[in-house]
Amino acid sequence: MSRSRFLIPGAAVVMVVVVVAGLAFFGKIPGLNAASRQEKQLTNALDAIALTSPDFAVAVLDKANDRDFSYRGSERFDTASAVKVSVLACVLLHAQDEKRELTAQETARAKRMIQASDNDATTALFTEVGEVDGLTACNKRLGLKETTVDKAWGLTSTTADDQARLLGNLVDSGSELTVDHRQLIFDLMETVNDDQNWGVPSVAKQGEHAPVKNGWDTRSDDHNLWVVNSLGRIVSEDRETNVSIVVLSHGDKSLKDGIALVEKVAAATRENLKY
């Protein structure tokens, strides 16, 4: 009887195991380096949180160390007011296309939309950029792949991975948005009203910058449960820490509970990824 060419002699198996074990000990094979161990530890920590929590997803983009991480990153969530970052980016793209600065009215609305999460200002700017079709076109230019814009802009559905792509675009020198416009977005996000300065900024250390835009909403057709989201960055003055973080959640019983969950997840990323 002929031996299958896919079978490996027992001695060879033993040798392979010994070699792999040795390489693993010295950290020479993929998946066993420090970064991979950190990601595994974070996944375990998030699994533990998920056992007693509503649905959530998180994505992290560490620009300083050229690494990324996501957990349930392709699951879909409503954006609520987190979509306002995309709306502002779209307003700025349109202004660039028209080779002009923002008007005084656009500037005022942008400030109210991001700093105070003003819905009327958002609706006006959403209409200005062309509503569903206009924002969808802008999202494509900004690299988003998994976001579906709704005519009721707060019901736009997205993923943590896609919102991380948006934040990644805003720190990318290859972005269609100019440096000044990308900085404007972060300047507004860093000066949100005090009552909205939660979520990602909760894990910032003293002296670090923590721009953020949060989203929260509750709907009667979802048993009055809450959507609570946080999009932000943690950036040190020396840029040794330069991390974008997205935490999305739904099914929270209250806004307070949702904020606590978002901040717990963000803290787990910092603790385990060591940024």
Side-chain angles (χ1 to χ4, degrees):
M1 180 175 64
S2 63
R3 179 184 295 271
S4 168
R5 63 188 179 90
F6 295 108
L7 296 180
I8 303 175
V13 172
V14 173
M15 181 60 71
V16 169
V17 170
V18 170
V19 171
V20 169
L23 289 172
F25 180 80
F26 290 106
K28 299 297 185 180
I29 60 175
L32 295 174
N33 55 28
S36 295
R37 287 195 297 272
Q38 290 172 357
E39 291 171 10
K40 178 62 176 176
Q41 290 167 356
L42 176 54
T43 298
N44 290 340
L46 296 174
D47 282 342
I49 294 172
L51 289 175
T52 57
S53 300
D55 290 340
F56 69 86
V58 59
V60 179
L61 177 62
D62 186 343
K63 186 172 177 63
N65 294 298
D66 191 26
R67 62 187 292 199
D68 56 65
F69 171 90
S70 72
Y71 179 86
R72 300 177 176 172
S74 61
E75 292 189 16
R76 302 189 74 84
F77 295 78
D78 287 351
T79 58
S81 289
V83 75
K84 294 171 182 179
V85 178
S86 295
V87 172
L88 177 54
C90 193
V91 170
L92 294 169
L93 280 175
H94 280 214
Q96 288 178 194
D97 292 343
E98 296 165 8
K99 296 181 170 53
R100 63 173 179 83
E101 299 297 323
L102 293 186
T103 66
Q105 184 178 64
E106 286 172 333
T107 299
R109 284 172 170 166
K111 288 180 177 180
R112 294 201 308 273
M113 177 174 68
I114 300 299
Q115 295 173 325
S117 205
D118 185 277
N119 291 338
D120 290 339
T122 306
T123 297
L125 293 175
F126 180 65
T127 301
E128 179 182 318
V129 300
E131 298 185 334
V132 173
D133 290 343
L135 187 55
T136 298
C138 286
N139 283 345
K140 184 176 180 179
R141 292 170 66 180
L142 295 168
L144 279 68
K145 304 174 182 178
E146 300 171 331
T147 297
T148 302
V149 180
D150 194 281
K151 61 182 180 181
W153 46 261
L155 299 182
T156 294
S157 66
T158 193
T159 67
D161 284 347
D162 229 22
Q163 293 305 299
R165 291 184 187 101
L166 172 62
L167 293 179
N169 186 284
L170 299 182
V171 297
D172 186 350
S173 60
S175 172
E176 285 195 43
L177 286 166
T178 66
V179 173
D180 288 345
H181 281 166
R182 288 184 280 125
Q183 188 60 54
L184 172 62
I185 294 173
F186 288 128
D187 286 345
L188 293 180
M189 290 172 66
E190 194 166 8
T191 53
V192 296
N193 291 354
D194 288 343
D195 64 336
Q196 297 176 32
N197 192 27
W198 47 264
V200 171
S202 67
V203 304
K205 298 177 181 178
Q206 186 173 1
E208 292 178 334
H209 297 276
V212 68
K213 182 69 194 85
N214 296 314
W216 61 98
D217 193 15
T218 182
R219 301 207 317 269
S220 58
D221 62 355
D222 191 25
H223 308 288
N224 294 315
L225 296 175
W226 285 80
V227 169
V228 182
N229 303 323
S230 189
L231 280 64
R233 293 177 66 203
I234 303 295
V235 187
S236 61
E237 288 288 350
D238 60 8
R239 293 297 192 272
E240 289 297 314
T241 299
N242 188 354
V243 179
S244 299
I245 309 168
V246 175
V247 187
L248 308 179
S249 74
H250 58 216
D252 301 290
K253 292 182 179 180
S254 68
L255 175 58
K256 181 179 178 180
D257 288 346
I259 292 173
L261 172 59
V262 164
E263 294 184 346
K264 186 174 185 178
V265 171
T269 70
R270 181 142 214 181
E271 178 181 352
N272 290 280
L273 295 183
K274 310 298 183 186
Y275 57 82

